[in-house]
Amino acid sequence: RGAVTFPIDIVPVDDEIPKLVTNKPGSYVQQNADGTKTFTITKKHLRATDRDSFNPDLKYKVKELPKHGRILKALPAQMPQEVDYFTQKDIDDKAIRYSLNDDVSETEDFFIFDLVDQGGNKREDLKFICRWSFVSLAKEMITVDEADKELIVTVKRRGYLGETAFVSVNTNDILAEKSLDFKNVAISSNQVQLNPGQTDAVWKIRILDDDIY
Protein backbone atom coordinates (compact mmCIF):
# COMPACT_ATOMS: atom_id res chain seq x y z
CA ARG A 1 0.00 0.00 0.00
CA GLY A 2 1.05 3.58 -0.62
CA ALA A 3 1.57 6.24 2.02
CA VAL A 4 -1.52 7.99 3.31
CA THR A 5 -1.35 11.66 4.21
CA PHE A 6 -3.93 13.31 6.41
CA PRO A 7 -4.02 16.58 8.38
CA ILE A 8 -3.73 16.70 12.14
CA ASP A 9 -5.10 19.65 14.07
CA ILE A 10 -3.56 20.23 17.50
CA VAL A 11 -5.85 22.15 19.78
CA PRO A 12 -4.01 23.71 22.72
CA VAL A 13 -5.54 23.08 26.11
CA ASP A 14 -5.64 25.98 28.55
CA ASP A 15 -5.22 24.04 31.77
CA GLU A 16 -2.45 25.83 33.65
CA ILE A 17 -3.18 28.00 36.67
CA PRO A 18 -1.86 31.54 36.28
CA LYS A 19 1.02 32.60 38.52
CA LEU A 20 1.36 35.82 40.49
CA VAL A 21 5.06 36.60 40.12
CA THR A 22 5.00 40.05 41.74
CA ASN A 23 2.94 41.09 44.76
CA LYS A 24 4.67 44.07 46.39
CA PRO A 25 2.60 46.09 48.89
CA GLY A 26 1.87 49.73 48.18
CA SER A 27 3.76 52.00 50.55
CA TYR A 28 2.11 55.42 50.26
CA VAL A 29 -0.93 57.40 49.19
CA GLN A 30 -0.59 60.72 47.43
CA GLN A 31 -2.76 63.75 48.09
CA ASN A 32 -3.93 65.20 44.78
CA ALA A 33 -4.90 68.75 43.85
CA ASP A 34 -8.60 67.88 44.16
CA GLY A 35 -8.13 66.65 47.73
CA THR A 36 -8.34 62.92 46.97
CA LYS A 37 -5.69 60.53 48.27
CA THR A 38 -4.69 57.81 45.83
CA PHE A 39 -2.06 55.21 45.06
CA THR A 40 -1.47 53.85 41.55
CA ILE A 41 -1.01 50.07 41.35
CA THR A 42 1.63 49.33 38.68
CA LYS A 43 3.33 46.19 37.39
CA LYS A 44 6.01 46.81 40.02
CA HIS A 45 3.32 45.90 42.57
CA LEU A 46 1.18 43.29 40.77
CA ARG A 47 2.26 41.16 37.81
CA ALA A 48 0.90 37.81 36.67
CA THR A 49 1.92 35.32 33.97
CA ASP A 50 0.43 32.22 32.37
CA ARG A 51 2.23 30.10 29.76
CA ASP A 52 -0.93 29.10 27.90
CA SER A 53 -2.88 32.38 28.12
CA PHE A 54 -2.60 35.92 26.78
CA ASN A 55 -1.04 37.66 29.79
CA PRO A 56 -2.53 41.14 29.29
CA ASP A 57 -6.03 39.59 29.60
CA LEU A 58 -5.36 37.85 32.90
CA LYS A 59 -8.07 39.03 35.25
CA TYR A 60 -7.90 40.09 38.89
CA LYS A 61 -11.37 39.44 40.35
CA VAL A 62 -11.80 41.17 43.70
CA LYS A 63 -13.78 39.04 46.15
CA GLU A 64 -13.20 41.11 49.30
CA LEU A 65 -13.12 44.87 48.82
CA PRO A 66 -10.82 47.14 50.85
CA LYS A 67 -12.29 48.47 54.08
CA HIS A 68 -10.85 51.98 54.08
CA GLY A 69 -10.85 52.85 50.39
CA ARG A 70 -11.99 51.96 46.89
CA ILE A 71 -10.45 50.41 43.78
CA LEU A 72 -10.78 52.78 40.83
CA LYS A 73 -10.14 52.41 37.13
CA ALA A 74 -9.12 55.59 35.36
CA LEU A 75 -10.26 55.58 31.74
CA PRO A 76 -9.00 58.19 29.27
CA ALA A 77 -11.10 61.39 29.29
CA GLN A 78 -13.44 59.92 31.92
CA MET A 79 -13.87 60.16 35.66
CA PRO A 80 -12.34 57.18 37.51
CA GLN A 81 -14.91 54.44 38.11
CA GLU A 82 -15.08 52.01 41.03
CA VAL A 83 -14.47 48.42 39.86
CA ASP A 84 -14.41 44.92 41.33
CA TYR A 85 -12.13 43.43 38.67
CA PHE A 86 -9.31 44.56 36.40
CA THR A 87 -6.78 43.04 34.01
CA GLN A 88 -3.03 42.88 33.78
CA LYS A 89 -3.24 45.33 30.88
CA ASP A 90 -5.07 47.80 33.15
CA ILE A 91 -2.18 47.54 35.59
CA ASP A 92 0.43 47.85 32.83
CA ASP A 93 -1.36 50.99 31.61
CA LYS A 94 -1.34 52.46 35.17
CA ALA A 95 -5.13 52.68 35.11
CA ILE A 96 -5.81 51.10 38.52
CA ARG A 97 -5.77 53.15 41.70
CA TYR A 98 -6.45 52.62 45.36
CA SER A 99 -8.38 55.64 46.66
CA LEU A 100 -8.35 56.28 50.42
CA ASN A 101 -11.65 57.33 51.97
CA ASP A 102 -11.98 60.65 53.80
CA ASP A 103 -11.51 60.82 57.58
CA VAL A 104 -9.57 57.56 57.81
CA SER A 105 -7.08 57.20 60.68
CA GLU A 106 -5.91 53.65 59.86
CA THR A 107 -2.63 53.25 58.01
CA GLU A 108 -3.10 49.88 56.28
CA ASP A 109 -5.70 48.25 54.05
CA PHE A 110 -5.98 45.23 51.77
CA PHE A 111 -8.22 43.47 49.28
CA ILE A 112 -8.59 39.77 48.43
CA PHE A 113 -8.73 38.62 44.82
CA ASP A 114 -8.68 35.60 42.52
CA LEU A 115 -6.34 35.53 39.52
CA VAL A 116 -8.21 34.06 36.53
CA ASP A 117 -7.13 33.23 32.96
CA GLN A 118 -9.24 33.02 29.79
CA GLY A 119 -9.84 29.30 30.33
CA GLY A 120 -11.35 29.82 33.77
CA ASN A 121 -8.32 28.46 35.62
CA LYS A 122 -7.73 30.49 38.76
CA ARG A 123 -5.47 31.01 41.70
CA GLU A 124 -7.65 31.89 44.66
CA ASP A 125 -7.60 34.07 47.77
CA LEU A 126 -4.61 36.27 47.03
CA LYS A 127 -4.08 39.41 49.11
CA PHE A 128 -2.80 42.84 48.07
CA ILE A 129 -1.74 45.17 50.89
CA CYS A 130 -1.47 48.94 50.82
CA ARG A 131 0.29 50.84 53.63
CA TRP A 132 0.83 54.53 54.18
CA SER A 133 1.75 57.10 56.81
CA PHE A 134 0.28 60.36 58.05
CA VAL A 135 2.44 63.44 58.55
CA SER A 136 1.50 66.32 60.85
CA LEU A 137 3.00 69.14 62.88
CA ALA A 138 3.73 68.37 66.52
CA LYS A 139 2.16 71.71 67.51
CA GLU A 140 -0.48 73.79 65.74
CA MET A 141 0.88 77.04 67.19
CA ILE A 142 4.36 78.02 68.35
CA THR A 143 5.11 81.36 70.04
CA VAL A 144 8.59 82.73 69.51
CA ASP A 145 10.38 85.97 70.38
CA GLU A 146 12.95 87.68 68.19
CA ALA A 147 15.52 87.16 70.91
CA ASP A 148 15.09 83.39 70.66
CA LYS A 149 17.16 83.40 67.46
CA GLU A 150 15.61 80.17 66.15
CA LEU A 151 12.20 78.58 65.63
CA ILE A 152 12.16 74.78 65.55
CA VAL A 153 9.16 73.15 63.87
CA THR A 154 8.76 69.42 64.55
CA VAL A 155 7.21 67.22 61.87
CA LYS A 156 5.77 63.88 63.08
CA ARG A 157 5.00 60.73 61.10
CA ARG A 158 2.90 57.73 62.11
CA GLY A 159 1.91 54.57 60.31
CA TYR A 160 4.11 52.81 57.77
CA LEU A 161 7.76 53.76 58.40
CA GLY A 162 9.49 51.35 56.03
CA GLU A 163 10.56 53.91 53.43
CA THR A 164 12.02 57.40 53.23
CA ALA A 165 9.46 60.21 53.18
CA PHE A 166 9.99 63.74 51.93
CA VAL A 167 7.70 66.43 53.33
CA SER A 168 7.33 69.76 51.54
CA VAL A 169 7.24 72.77 53.88
CA ASN A 170 7.07 76.50 53.25
CA THR A 171 6.38 79.82 54.89
CA ASN A 172 3.79 82.49 54.13
CA ASP A 173 4.63 86.12 54.80
CA ILE A 174 2.02 87.90 56.94
CA LEU A 175 3.38 90.26 59.59
CA ALA A 176 6.85 88.72 59.39
CA GLU A 177 8.68 88.76 56.06
CA LYS A 178 11.22 86.25 54.81
CA SER A 179 14.81 87.57 54.68
CA LEU A 180 13.81 90.58 56.80
CA ASP A 181 12.47 88.86 59.92
CA PHE A 182 13.49 85.23 59.37
CA LYS A 183 15.20 82.82 57.01
CA ASN A 184 15.26 79.06 56.57
CA VAL A 185 18.24 77.26 58.03
CA ALA A 186 18.13 73.97 56.12
CA ILE A 187 20.10 73.54 52.90
CA SER A 188 16.97 72.17 51.21
CA SER A 189 14.79 74.87 52.72
CA ASN A 190 11.43 73.62 51.46
CA GLN A 191 11.76 69.94 52.35
CA VAL A 192 12.05 67.75 55.44
CA GLN A 193 13.35 64.19 55.12
CA LEU A 194 12.24 61.27 57.32
CA ASN A 195 14.38 58.16 56.92
CA PRO A 196 13.05 54.59 57.33
CA GLY A 197 11.95 54.05 60.92
CA GLN A 198 12.11 57.78 61.73
CA THR A 199 9.00 59.31 63.29
CA ASP A 200 10.19 62.89 63.99
CA ALA A 201 12.15 65.47 62.05
CA VAL A 202 12.69 69.20 62.53
CA TRP A 203 12.59 72.22 60.27
CA LYS A 204 14.51 75.24 61.53
CA ILE A 205 13.83 78.89 60.88
CA ARG A 206 16.40 81.50 61.95
CA ILE A 207 14.82 84.53 63.59
CA LEU A 208 16.42 87.82 62.58
CA ASP A 209 16.45 90.35 65.38
CA ASP A 210 15.95 94.02 64.53
CA ASP A 211 15.17 97.30 66.25
CA ILE A 212 11.76 97.89 64.69
CA TYR A 213 9.75 96.47 67.61
Side-chain angles (χ1 to χ4, degrees):
R1 296 182 179 180
V4 177
T5 302
F6 55 90
I8 299 176
D9 293 332
I10 300 176
V11 180
V13 177
D14 186 352
D15 58 358
E16 286 202 16
I17 297 176
K19 295 180 180 180
L20 189 65
V21 295
T22 302
N23 186 2
K24 180 182 178 182
S27 58
Y28 68 93
V29 291
Q30 174 180 298
Q31 182 154 344
N32 305 306
D34 61 0
T36 59
K37 301 179 183 70
T38 59
F39 163 73
T40 301
I41 301 174
T42 72
K43 60 184 178 182
K44 293 181 179 180
H45 304 101
L46 283 177
R47 187 170 70 86
T49 62
D50 190 343
R51 292 193 304 175
D52 54 10
S53 295
F54 184 56
N55 287 343
D57 286 346
L58 292 175
K59 185 177 292 187
Y60 297 76
K61 298 186 69 173
V62 180
K63 58 195 308 182
E64 184 178 334
L65 293 169
K67 294 179 174 61
H68 309 302
R70 299 176 297 155
I71 302 170
L72 303 180
K73 181 175 179 179
L75 300 173
Q78 295 184 27
M79 292 291 292
Q81 301 292 322
E82 187 170 4
V83 295
D84 58 9
Y85 75 89
F86 49 89
T87 65
Q88 185 64 50
K89 184 178 187 304
D90 293 330
I91 294 175
D92 295 345
D93 292 343
K94 299 181 179 180
I96 302 302
R97 302 172 186 172
Y98 170 85
S99 178
L100 183 64
N101 294 334
D102 294 334
D103 302 322
V104 170
S105 60
E106 286 79 4
T107 56
E108 183 173 307
D109 204 356
F110 67 89
F111 59 86
I112 305 294
F113 64 93
D114 292 342
L115 181 61
V116 186
D117 66 14
Q118 295 94 309
N121 305 296
K122 60 184 176 180
R123 192 171 295 274
E124 297 184 284
D125 297 327
L126 301 168
K127 176 188 284 190
F128 180 76
I129 299 172
C130 188
R131 307 183 180 107
W132 58 88
S133 60
F134 287 106
V135 175
S136 61
L137 298 178
K139 297 181 180 179
E140 293 185 3
M141 179 179 294
I142 304 174
T143 302
V144 64
D145 189 271
E146 281 189 351
D148 291 338
K149 297 183 179 180
E150 192 174 67
L151 170 63
I152 299 177
V153 179
T154 301
V155 177
K156 300 184 73 66
R157 176 171 66 157
R158 69 172 184 86
Y160 179 65
L161 308 177
E163 295 188 5
T164 301
F166 296 93
V167 182
S168 297
V169 289
N170 211 338
T171 58
N172 292 324
D173 293 351
I174 302 178
L175 296 178
E177 296 184 22
K178 188 174 181 179
S179 300
L180 294 178
D181 299 300
F182 65 90
K183 66 178 181 179
N184 301 335
V185 176
I187 296 174
S188 180
S189 60
N190 64 341
Q191 196 172 77
V192 173
Q193 179 175 329
L194 295 121
N195 295 318
Q198 186 177 357
T199 59
D200 294 48
V202 298
W203 187 52
K204 297 181 179 180
I205 300 175
R206 183 173 297 149
I207 305 301
L208 304 178
D209 200 357
D210 56 39
D211 299 325
I212 297 177
Y213 297 105

